[in-house]
Amino acid sequence: MRNFMEMLRAKWAEGKFVCVGLDSELEKIPQRATQMSGARAITFNRAIIQQTSDLVCAYKPNIAFYASRGAEGLQDLVTTVYLIKELAPEVPIILDCKRADIGNTNIGYVKEAFDVFGADAITVNPYFGAEALQPFLERKEKGVIVLCRTSNKGATEFQNREVIIKQDGFRYEGVGRKLLSATPEVFAIPLYQLVAHRVAREWNKNGNCALVVGATAPDELAAVRNIVGDGFPILIPGIGKQGGDLEKTVNAGKDSKGQGMIINSSSGIIFASSGGDFAEAARRETEKLHSGITEILKGAVAK
């Protein structure tokens, strides 16, 4: 049975931290992939996987780019997962769909992600709380990747709002601040930090949780790493077109062992070329990102 955390840590041990987002928008796929729209996404994804599988720690298809094409697109997603398992059987698959609800609805989402689409991990929204997300958390072999501090510009509207907490074992060094000097056990901290603490310290009973923190917020990323500690996976989108700085991201996101990161790039890799060399260009960009991460990690060790 495939176990997401075991597969991911095996890739970290190989020094691989790049996640390729297979956000395969049909309109952007080069005509070379094929003239038939239904087959074009599969031909495109197959070529990307074949060119990059030896460099990555994960693949991350976003369901929106498949579901927007109806039944045909969803079948392409199923086929893409199958292709990854066939061509890159040691690479875990993250389904990016940010699911969350209550009761039987979540049971349905669990079956959708893991049993229908065959993903190894899923992104989820923490807003409903741990109780509602139990159907995901109970799947011990699957990864549950919780939104924490996202990469979009509007993330600060709620995620950076301060909430009041009691110390209660909170790993607050360097990330929280005292609310009242007369009550030193009370703090005001950003909401995303509370999410990080709860997920890492309370939700992670099966050791299958991870967090999403954007590369566009390196200070917040460093704060989250401080809260969750070593070995805890952080999925980091926002490198490339969103403007995330790679050196700041790696230095903020790595743990003390130089691991713990899933650094995602989507369009910057898969659409690096709109010509006939699209697959080769995707490999070049993946190699560039992989080499950049490696060099930064080596520099950190040298210091």
Side-chain angles (χ1 to χ4, degrees):
M1 180 180 291
R2 290 164 66 97
N3 182 292
F4 173 71
M5 290 299 180
E6 291 178 359
M7 297 173 75
L8 181 61
R9 290 190 173 106
K11 290 300 173 184
W12 288 346
E14 296 173 4
K16 296 171 183 175
F17 304 97
V18 176
C19 174
V20 172
L22 294 172
D23 299 350
S24 304
E25 295 180 70
L26 208 60
E27 295 77 11
K28 293 183 180 180
I29 293 175
Q31 289 296 318
R32 178 191 166 189
T34 185
Q35 297 301 315
M36 296 174 60
S37 63
R40 198 190 319 163
I42 297 305
T43 304
F44 178 78
N45 286 351
R46 180 189 289 111
I48 298 294
I49 295 163
Q50 288 173 328
Q51 286 286 341
T52 61
S53 61
D54 61 320
L55 297 168
V56 303
C57 72
Y59 286 109
K60 184 179 71 64
N62 188 309
I63 196 170
F65 298 101
Y66 300 87
S68 62
R69 295 192 284 112
E72 182 182 85
L74 292 173
Q75 182 56 54
D76 283 351
L77 176 57
V78 172
T79 304
T80 295
V81 171
Y82 172 82
L83 283 173
I84 296 170
K85 291 181 178 180
E86 178 185 41
L87 301 172
E90 297 179 353
V91 178
I93 304 160
I94 300 167
L95 181 62
D96 192 357
C97 55
K98 303 173 181 70
R99 296 294 194 220
D101 212 301
I102 59 174
N104 288 338
T105 309
N106 266 345
I107 294 173
Y109 283 145
V110 166
K111 291 180 179 178
E112 172 198 48
F114 301 141
D115 302 331
V116 176
F117 293 124
D120 300 303
I122 184 174
T123 57
V124 300
N125 191 318
Y127 197 70
F128 288 88
E131 174 269 330
L133 291 174
Q134 283 308 305
F136 295 101
L137 298 169
E138 288 170 358
R139 292 291 290 263
K140 297 180 181 180
E141 79 282 6
K142 301 296 186 180
V144 183
I145 308 177
V146 184
L147 299 178
C148 181
R149 184 20 174 108
T150 55
S151 58
N152 60 304
K153 292 180 179 178
T156 59
E157 182 175 358
F158 293 118
Q159 295 167 30
N160 282 56
R161 291 281 183 175
E162 290 190 333
V163 295
I164 299 171
I165 65 164
K166 291 186 177 181
Q167 182 174 329
D168 292 336
F170 186 83
R171 189 185 175 112
Y172 61 87
E173 298 88 345
V175 297
R177 65 175 177 82
K178 291 181 180 179
L179 180 65
L180 296 172
S181 59
T183 55
E185 75 280 5
V186 177
F187 292 81
I189 61 168
L191 177 59
Y192 78 87
Q193 293 181 10
L194 179 59
V195 171
H197 173 75
R198 286 288 176 83
V199 173
R201 307 292 164 179
E202 298 180 22
W203 297 16
N204 197 31
K205 292 180 175 61
N206 290 322
N208 61 342
C209 289
L211 291 167
V212 177
V213 183
T216 53
D219 292 340
E220 287 88 338
L221 177 58
V224 170
R225 174 55 69 195
N226 181 65
I227 291 167
V228 301
D230 281 353
F232 195 93
I234 302 178
L235 172 61
I236 310 172
I239 288 292
K241 291 188 176 181
Q242 289 190 55
D245 180 273
L246 184 60
E247 184 171 6
K248 290 181 180 178
T249 295
V250 172
N251 287 329
K254 66 181 176 62
D255 63 18
S256 68
K257 299 177 182 178
Q259 299 184 352
M261 301 173 292
I262 310 168
I263 298 180
N264 182 79
S265 179
S266 299
S267 60
I269 286 177
I270 66 174
F271 297 128
S273 171
S274 59
D277 66 338
F278 69 90
E280 292 79 7
R283 179 173 181 84
R284 288 195 296 271
E285 289 302 312
T286 307
E287 286 181 322
K288 180 180 177 181
L289 182 54
H290 169 72
S291 298
I293 295 168
T294 301
E295 289 304 310
I296 294 166
L297 290 171
K298 285 181 179 177
V301 171
K303 291 178 182 178

